Amino acid sequence: MSANPFLDPTLVHGDLYRGDGRLADRTQALHRAKISGSDVADTIANLLAARVPRGAAVLDIGCGRGTTTLRLADRLRPRRLIAVDASAALLRTTRDRLGDAGALGSVVCADFHHLPLLDSVADAAVAAFCLYHSPTPTLAVAEIARCLRPGGAAVLVTKSLDSYAELDHLVRAAGLDPHGTSRPSLYESFHSGNLHTIAATNLIVIDVQREEHVFHFADATHLARYLTTTPKYRITLTGGIPALAATLRLRLPAPPYTTQSMVSYAIAVRP
């Protein structure tokens, strides 16, 4: 078992993404808290729209719940849109959301190290907030490059190593996890610092753009809702969100609680 939950295959293919509830709750808590930073799905769609004509064939690798997939469908009007994820539960959500929006697209359940797709099948590909689940992200990037036509564009997105580090200190100060500040970053395998190097192993990197996102948790319950979605800490407190919020109120200074993450976008092309 890896010390990093995001690199532990048992967790990644089990509790973390067996259903879509944890990811939905995490995303909702972060969106409610964000006070600074662009919408990531919009940014990805805009970056691709500047390089890929409408009617392109597009891959969304590690699509999750399909938020970026939907934005790509709306912005690029691709002739073919394929959403790929290793979680069948997340793919069901993506498929349903595409259907509800009247958007055309297909879903493929697959490991991004072994994409069941032909060489040069796509004009563009996105891999957002997923490659840090790979212990060998260069192999995943090689697969993405293989599926792109020569000159095809890719947008790879990740977070900084120190994302949400302020919460490490809060968790430790509240006595919820005494090792909260020493646990490895969830993003250690693929992060803002090594994004360019890893992308450049199989793609030509045109640009890397970075933007700080700031999050403001207004009260202990809001923070507790987020903390219950992150696997980073070893919190053994029972009683769910109410008990966790009560402990935070008792042991921490008064809110708000602020944290940040650097989001980085590599724009690259297949040689």
Side-chain angles (χ1 to χ4, degrees):
M1 179 183 295
S2 171
N4 182 344
F6 272 10
L7 295 176
D8 184 341
T10 302
L11 286 174
V12 171
H13 298 295
D15 291 345
L16 292 186
Y17 302 111
R18 183 178 290 118
D20 77 342
R22 187 198 70 89
L23 186 57
D25 290 346
R26 180 182 179 86
T27 301
Q28 183 181 52
L30 283 175
H31 282 180
R32 280 185 56 216
K34 189 159 79 169
I35 59 171
S36 175
S38 303
D39 181 274
V40 173
D42 277 344
T43 300
I44 292 169
N46 290 337
L47 289 171
L48 277 186
R51 291 163 178 82
V52 179
R54 286 196 169 203
V58 181
L59 308 178
D60 186 8
I61 309 298
C63 66
R65 301 183 67 255
T67 299
T68 298
T69 314
L70 285 167
R71 212 64 52 87
L72 294 171
D74 179 64
R75 186 81 166 82
L76 298 181
R77 302 293 181 184
R79 72 176 185 276
R80 188 180 187 194
L81 176 60
I82 303 174
V84 181
D85 205 282
S87 167
L90 294 180
L91 284 176
R92 284 193 295 271
T93 298
T94 296
R95 183 190 60 212
D96 291 346
R97 293 179 76 187
L98 285 169
D100 291 344
L104 297 178
S106 59
V107 300
V108 174
C109 191
D111 183 329
F112 50 42
H113 300 95
H114 307 285
L115 296 171
L117 302 170
L118 296 175
D119 294 357
S120 305
V121 73
D123 301 298
V126 172
F129 302 142
C130 62
L131 296 183
Y132 43 62
H133 285 301
S134 171
T136 53
T138 54
L139 298 182
V141 172
E143 271 292 88
I144 293 169
R146 178 186 66 78
C147 294
L148 285 172
R149 64 167 175 78
V155 177
L156 312 180
V157 188
T158 192
K159 303 181 184 184
S160 55
L161 270 173
D162 64 351
S163 291
Y164 318 118
E166 297 85 356
L167 302 186
D168 299 349
H169 295 277
L170 290 178
V171 167
R172 181 179 177 183
L176 295 167
D177 183 348
H179 304 291
T181 55
S182 59
R183 297 199 183 280
S185 169
L186 294 175
Y187 315 105
E188 64 178 335
S189 74
F190 186 70
H191 53 81
S192 296
N194 66 11
L195 170 63
H196 187 289
T197 299
I198 290 174
T201 57
N202 290 277
L203 299 166
I204 298 172
V205 178
I206 298 172
D207 191 19
V208 175
Q209 299 183 13
R210 295 182 172 87
E211 182 181 46
E212 184 178 67
H213 289 215
V214 180
F215 304 88
H216 183 98
F217 295 92
D219 55 49
T221 298
H222 188 185
L223 178 57
R225 289 187 184 281
Y226 173 74
L227 290 178
T228 59
T229 72
T230 177
K232 182 174 185 178
Y233 310 114
R234 307 296 185 267
I235 298 175
T236 58
L237 183 71
T238 59
I241 291 171
L244 182 54
T247 299
L248 293 170
R249 290 189 198 97
L250 181 65
R251 299 179 182 177
L252 293 182
Y257 309 109
T258 301
T259 190
Q260 62 81 38
S261 173
M262 183 69 70
V263 176
S264 298
Y265 307 79
I267 303 95
V269 296
R270 178 185 168 181

